[in-house]
Amino acid sequence: RALPEVASRLAVTRLNRDPTLNEGYWWDAVVLTEACRTPQAVTGLLNAERYASGLVGPLNPATCGAAGLLAAAWNKPLVSWACLGDAEGLDTLVTPMPEPSGVLHSVLRFFRWAHVAVLSAPQDLWREVGQGLAQELRARGLPVTVVTSAGTEEEEAREALRRVQRADGVRVVVMCMHSVLLGGEEQRVLLEKAEDMGMTDGTYVFIPYDALTFPLPYQHVPYPVLANNTKLRLAYDAVLTVTIDSPDVTFQEALQQAKEAYEIPAHIDPTQV
């Protein structure tokens, strides 16, 4: 749903027609499929040395070390917004945005919320994000007392939330999983179960991690998943969303403008991306 082929094609098209950016070079993009399992996620990079001038990614922070070493050996930039902590020493790593864990730490410090639980979806990518985030927050002095996963089964969500309740002093639950606003089933089940367990009355604050990495439209934007689910809408009162601001034009508006300018296919619905 992120349409990486469309996004990369749009980016290089705009780059190629702007001489102040392309400096006389002609750019092209190839999308490499990043495997969901961590061990296989690096293998797709092995042949990239032959044709790539730089690499954008990876998404899985657990692969950053290996990908960073390859990029350094090839002397090619590795542009990644997902690499955490131990990847900082890599020679050619470029971080294009503030580190999500640093932004989250600033928010937690502002509200004086110290004790944190990290709940992730069961897939390798989200497990690695959750574990990396916990390590980063601990390195910044915050006690992360619960790190666990929960899938789409209600019992999994209930057990994860019970661990949060049993932990001493937890105030914030960081959800490392796809946002329910964008179709994330694990987060829907988790929040609905939290509502059933009385955890959404202000006792706990639930923060979605994924919204830290992209501009989630939030002003005057209807989300059908909230309109059609009373329990989820009640639970969402306990959710604090921290996202990248896009003051001039929202992501969906920018995509609609690109569609109207025939820069992207006409059949794409911006609200579904």
Side-chain angles (χ1 to χ4, degrees):
R1 287 177 63 174
L3 303 181
E5 296 87 356
V6 176
S8 57
R9 189 161 61 246
L10 177 62
V12 295
T13 298
R14 291 185 173 184
L15 179 63
N16 286 330
R17 72 183 184 212
D18 188 342
T20 63
L21 290 175
N22 61 44
E23 297 184 351
Y25 291 96
W26 179 261
W27 295 86
D28 197 5
V30 177
V31 176
L32 302 178
T33 301
E34 186 174 345
C36 294
R37 297 195 61 201
T38 300
Q40 283 78 38
V42 183
T43 58
L45 296 174
L46 296 179
N47 295 322
E49 180 188 12
R50 302 176 185 174
Y51 56 80
S53 302
L55 302 168
V56 178
L59 291 173
N60 188 334
T63 64
C64 286
L69 290 173
L70 287 173
W74 301 335
N75 194 31
K76 298 179 187 293
L78 179 74
V79 183
S80 181
W81 57 96
C83 292
L84 294 163
D86 28 342
E88 289 176 358
L90 299 173
D91 293 341
T92 61
L93 176 66
V94 179
T95 50
M97 54 177 274
E99 192 176 18
S101 59
V103 174
L104 186 57
H105 177 255
S106 296
V107 172
L108 298 176
R109 187 174 58 186
F110 177 83
F111 288 109
R112 300 182 182 274
W113 295 332
H115 293 262
V116 179
V118 176
L119 303 188
S120 65
Q123 296 83 10
D124 275 10
L125 165 63
W126 288 116
R127 284 180 181 269
E128 298 292 352
V129 168
Q131 291 167 3
L133 175 64
Q135 291 173 2
E136 278 289 283
L137 293 178
R138 286 168 180 155
R140 296 170 186 267
L142 295 181
V144 182
T145 51
V146 176
V147 182
T148 190
S149 62
T152 56
E153 298 295 326
E154 288 192 13
E155 188 54 42
E156 293 176 315
R158 183 186 293 109
E159 181 54 36
L161 291 168
R162 280 178 180 158
R163 290 190 60 185
V164 173
Q165 288 178 321
R166 289 195 295 263
D168 184 34
V170 170
R171 186 75 176 89
V172 174
V173 178
V174 182
M175 302 178 293
C176 294
M177 52 189 69
H178 288 298
S179 171
V180 65
L181 300 183
L182 305 177
E185 276 297 294
E186 291 90 351
Q187 194 173 110
R188 179 189 63 78
V189 172
L190 184 73
L191 289 173
E192 288 181 354
K193 188 52 60 179
E195 173 68 16
D196 289 339
M197 297 169 65
M199 297 175 67
T200 59
D201 61 356
T203 308
Y204 299 93
V205 177
F206 293 81
I207 299 180
Y209 178 87
D210 66 333
L212 288 159
T213 63
F214 59 84
L216 180 71
Y218 61 92
Q219 290 182 319
H220 312 299
V221 179
Y223 285 102
V225 68
L226 293 180
N228 301 329
N229 187 328
T230 303
K231 183 186 292 186
L232 180 62
R233 188 164 65 249
L234 291 171
Y236 218 79
D237 281 345
V239 175
L240 171 64
T241 300
V242 185
T243 192
I244 298 171
D245 197 14
S246 185
D248 298 323
V249 60
T250 69
F251 167 77
Q252 293 172 352
E253 289 169 343
L255 208 57
Q256 182 63 35
Q257 290 173 5
K259 180 178 171 181
E260 293 169 355
Y262 302 104
E263 293 180 300
I264 61 174
H267 69 272
I268 290 176
D269 179 1
T271 63
Q272 296 299 313
V273 179

